[in-house]
Amino acid sequence: MTFEEIKNLLTDKFGPDVILGEEPTGRQPALIIQPEAIAQVCLELRDNDKTWFDFLASLTGVDYGIEENIFGVVYHLASIPYKSSLTLKVRKYHDRNREELPSFPTVSEVWKTADWHEREAFDLVGIRFENHPDLRRILLPDDWEGYPLRKDYKVQEYYNGIKVD
Amino acid sequence: MESTRYHKLISEVEPTEMVLNMGPQHPSTHGVLRLELITDGEIVKEVIPHVGYLHRCFEKHAENLTYQQTIPFVDRLDYLASMNSSHAWVMGVERMLGIDGDIPKRIEYIRVLVSELNRIGSHLIALGTYGIDIGAFTPFLWCFRDREHIMNMLEWASGSRMLYNYIWVGGLYYDLPVGFEERCKEFIDYFKPKMRELNELLTGNEIFISRTANVGVLPLSTAINYGCSGPMLRGSGLKWDLRRVDEYSAYPELEFEIPVGKGEMGTVGDCWDRFKVRIDEVEQSVGIISQCLERLQSDLKRTKEFDPRAKLPKKIIPKAQDFYMRAENPKGELGFYFITDGKSEIPKRVKARGPSFCNLSVISEISRGVLIADLIAIIGSVDIVLGELDR
């Protein structure tokens, strides 16, 4: 299925508002999906036998910079039967207040591999995934402060009494 | 936060069950992996992996260094297969720059040659240490003896035994040293009978089969859903090799088979199948190396004018774009996702998708209800490398 056909399939199924935009730049065009719909869109793309994106290659949490204050998640889907791939993106404005993290629906029900990937995005970028079954830090210690891959990250001076360089 | 699955599991442990920590210093976890087990006698009821003990902030480093400077860090991800990792990274950067078509054939063939040598080295470790996990000591020594030849050759080419920094963006650090091709041919002739010996010693061994066949069966649908790749996925019976799917570098011109698990000794996708896939892959890599050597000694022969650094870009500034590069590492699909802004020599964001990370996440699924001794067999068959898992 071509990129255009996938777009039509999604708008037919979920209405025209589901695709907020597209990034046709470079070799890997991406679809920007409405954040609330991402889990249903992924489920459809996985189960529809015309697309069959059964393999989630990678899931990345991104902080797009301090000027824009936009956080996003990038999904790299691959279809084993069709040998095709697709990039999906969701993004949201967030004012970086500490109490509430930017949050997106989880896709760990669609692909189990997303479970750990989302934990990693939560751990390093500070993105919350709604209804995630096990949202804990994964690579850093449980009592670490801050989210290192954020652009405004300042490392804590002391961790459990040990100076952090 | 208290309502996570982990807290639920731990708080619901029965008085007859025991919570047992395996690791982070347990030898059969192949590094600093900690597994929290909920056990009922000898039976493992639940496995909860805790990772991150070897986290070295790769992605943060990559946001502060140029693409060329990051290569040594990429080597340290999967330190048993550095060549393959840097090959993937370099191809990603070259494709973003649009110079992937200009790389001379000799360079492509040298890259494939050293990557396949490194793949054999990595698989030899996987096979040897797997023998030790099960209780067979001899294969381990044999594998390390043969791997030593590979280490020596790669050291000769790059100057380092494990962390090479040999494949550069647009070229290579140096051409192969004079006499390398001949030495490599000697090694292949030496290695072929050794491989047969190892096969006879372990693969058909009755004790080995009874320890691994029908243990840790990973059904194909589970493997795909958990994002398993490499020998894990092929062990479950799917012909999926990115070297063939994506046809990158010199692989389209080379002939090799994709071995898959067939369930010869038990069920498709058991530990024995994953082991056998690695054994067969070593054989295929030997074939690839022979083909590379043939080309490198005939039409792509070394010339005086050949300069592996001729095509190195002076400044690596890719256009503003997102790019996901994937390549087949010994452990599976290694992916790099770049976000660039088109102005600086430093990427805005880099994500490394390590195959060990995804392969390990399936462990709690396939080791529910097994014996503790079988769990060791299962971990060994996943073949994780913690450097890449924790990044």
Side-chain angles (χ1 to χ4, degrees):
Chain A
M1 236 184 177
T2 62
F3 188 65
E4 289 299 319
E5 282 170 337
I6 293 171
K7 250 171 62 183
N8 292 338
L9 186 142
L10 288 178
T11 44
D12 286 351
K13 174 102 188 171
F14 299 103
D17 299 338
V18 73
I19 298 173
L20 297 179
E22 56 179 300
E23 285 183 355
T25 51
R27 302 153 181 250
Q28 294 168 329
L31 285 177
I32 300 169
I33 303 289
Q34 195 202 348
E36 282 71 36
I38 185 69
Q40 286 101 311
V41 166
C42 287
L43 193 65
E44 174 66 22
L45 289 174
R46 186 196 75 177
D47 287 345
N48 194 323
D49 52 14
K50 293 202 189 92
T51 47
W52 216 319
F53 286 107
D54 46 359
F55 191 83
L56 177 70
S58 161
L59 185 153
T60 316
V62 187
D63 174 358
Y64 285 100
I66 358 184
E67 295 89 40
E68 292 132 331
N69 284 335
I70 288 175
F71 286 83
V73 181
V74 184
Y75 305 83
H76 289 100
L77 281 57
S79 162
I80 290 178
Y82 292 120
K83 297 190 175 173
S84 56
S85 49
L86 177 71
T87 313
L88 299 181
K89 290 181 178 183
V90 291
R91 47 180 60 169
K92 221 178 221 180
Y93 173 81
H94 184 262
D95 58 2
R96 293 178 191 272
N97 70 27
R98 278 299 170 91
E99 272 75 63
E100 211 181 314
L101 299 175
S103 84
F104 298 98
T106 176
V107 295
S108 61
E109 293 296 314
V110 185
W111 300 284
K112 287 280 172 51
T113 180
D115 187 329
W116 278 28
H117 280 296
E118 288 179 346
R119 277 178 68 190
E120 190 190 321
F122 165 72
D123 187 4
L124 300 179
V125 195
I127 292 173
R128 231 177 65 77
F129 292 92
E130 296 147 21
N131 298 326
H132 188 284
D134 201 18
L135 202 62
R136 295 176 288 129
R137 284 193 184 266
I138 184 164
L139 294 176
L140 303 178
D142 287 341
D143 51 356
W144 194 261
E145 284 165 26
Y147 304 100
L149 288 183
R150 285 198 176 185
K151 300 293 179 196
D152 61 340
Y153 175 68
K154 293 265 183 319
V155 76
Q156 60 198 66
E157 209 169 314
Y158 284 94
Y159 171 69
N160 285 341
I162 306 163
K163 195 158 194 315
V164 182
D165 279 327
Chain B
M1 291 307 279
E2 292 302 314
S3 61
T4 60
R5 185 177 56 212
Y6 171 67
H7 289 103
K8 200 161 169 285
L9 281 172
I10 292 297
S11 61
E12 284 175 2
V13 173
E14 302 280 331
T16 52
E17 293 170 349
M18 185 165 74
V19 179
L20 187 72
N21 263 307
M22 209 167 97
Q25 273 84 23
H26 194 291
S28 65
T29 55
H30 299 248
V32 280
L33 168 69
R34 179 175 145 227
L35 297 174
E36 203 171 345
L37 314 181
I38 300 176
T39 58
D40 184 1
E42 274 285 289
I43 309 278
V44 176
K45 294 218 124 164
E46 194 66 49
V47 182
I48 307 157
H50 293 273
V51 300
Y53 288 87
L54 203 61
H55 182 55
R56 291 155 303 170
C57 324
F58 167 76
E59 289 169 16
K60 192 77 184 167
H61 278 303
E63 283 176 18
N64 292 296
L65 296 167
T66 66
Y67 296 93
Q68 185 67 30
Q69 284 171 333
T70 311
I71 294 176
F73 288 82
V74 174
D75 286 348
R76 279 155 182 77
L77 288 179
D78 183 354
Y79 43 78
L80 298 177
S82 305
M83 287 291 188
N84 302 68
S85 312
S86 39
H87 193 190
W89 174 270
V90 161
M91 278 192 300
V93 179
E94 282 168 359
R95 285 187 192 188
M96 283 197 295
L97 290 170
I99 58 166
D100 53 315
D102 314 337
I103 308 297
K105 269 269 167 308
R106 182 172 165 86
I107 289 185
E108 291 283 16
Y109 270 85
I110 293 175
R111 284 178 179 181
V112 170
L113 172 73
V114 292
S115 295
E116 292 302 322
L117 277 173
N118 215 185
R119 188 183 306 271
I120 295 180
S122 168
H123 277 340
L124 282 178
I125 294 230
L127 301 171
T129 52
Y130 195 44
I132 282 217
D133 289 345
I134 303 290
F137 205 88
T138 317
F140 175 74
L141 297 175
W142 287 12
C143 285
F144 267 69
R145 176 197 61 198
D146 296 339
R147 179 172 170 266
E148 197 56 31
H149 292 280
I150 297 176
M151 298 282 99
N152 284 339
M153 278 192 291
L154 293 180
E155 182 183 8
W156 189 18
S158 71
S160 172
R161 270 173 60 82
M162 278 177 84
L163 308 161
Y164 309 109
N165 190 11
Y166 181 65
I167 301 177
W168 282 5
V169 178
L172 297 167
Y173 173 42
Y174 277 124
D175 196 358
L176 289 176
V178 178
F180 187 92
E181 291 92 333
E182 290 74 20
R183 171 76 187 82
C184 197
K185 215 171 171 68
E186 266 172 42
F187 166 73
I188 292 297
D189 293 339
Y190 155 87
F191 184 62
K192 273 181 185 160
K194 298 286 176 206
M195 202 53 226
R196 221 166 296 131
E197 251 175 43
L198 180 75
N199 217 343
E200 279 162 17
L201 188 71
L202 207 52
T203 316
N205 185 311
E206 205 166 313
I207 304 169
F208 182 75
I209 292 171
S210 60
R211 282 298 310 277
T212 54
N214 288 321
V215 171
V217 178
L218 174 62
L220 183 58
S221 54
T222 314
I224 294 173
N225 203 249
Y226 272 89
C228 296
S229 49
M232 280 288 271
L233 190 57
R234 290 192 282 276
S236 296
L238 182 73
K239 263 197 179 146
W240 181 259
D241 190 321
L242 295 177
R243 289 177 291 176
R244 272 281 171 267
V245 176
D246 286 357
E247 298 280 13
Y248 58 83
S249 197
Y251 287 112
E253 296 168 20
L254 298 165
E255 268 173 44
F256 61 96
E257 299 283 315
I258 305 170
V260 291
K262 297 193 188 79
E264 280 163 72
M265 297 296 164
T267 322
V268 177
D270 58 7
C271 291
W272 191 88
D273 270 354
R274 290 194 277 277
F275 176 84
K276 185 69 174 25
V277 164
R278 290 198 182 97
I279 290 260
D280 292 346
E281 272 181 22
V282 170
E283 215 167 282
Q284 296 302 325
S285 291
V286 168
I288 296 176
I289 290 171
S290 306
Q291 294 171 50
C292 286
L293 287 175
E294 221 166 86
R295 292 290 303 272
L296 286 174
Q297 286 179 311
S298 54
D299 58 328
L300 301 175
K301 225 172 165 165
R302 169 197 326 272
T303 52
K304 263 201 178 131
E305 299 76 43
F306 177 72
D307 178 10
R309 298 193 194 178
K311 295 266 192 253
L312 295 194
K314 293 246 155 39
K315 265 208 156 79
I316 304 174
I317 305 178
K319 277 187 235 139
Q321 61 188 307
D322 288 20
F323 190 68
Y324 179 72
M325 177 70 212
R326 55 179 191 177
E328 187 75 24
N329 251 35
K331 270 108 196 153
E333 171 179 340
L334 175 70
F336 288 113
Y337 175 51
F338 302 90
I339 300 179
T340 58
D341 60 1
K343 284 173 284 193
S344 101
E345 290 181 82
I346 295 168
K348 247 179 107 177
R349 171 89 166 93
V350 171
K351 151 102 182 177
R353 180 249 197 236
S356 302
F357 186 77
C358 301
N359 287 353
L360 184 75
S361 67
V362 79
I363 196 141
S364 13
E365 187 72 28
I366 59 173
S367 40
R368 247 177 231 128
V370 301
L371 298 171
I372 293 182
D374 286 344
L375 180 62
I376 307 286
I378 295 172
I379 300 167
S381 76
V382 177
D383 183 26
I384 47 166
V385 115
L386 268 294
E388 168 196 75
L389 212 161
D390 296 340
R391 277 156 287 148

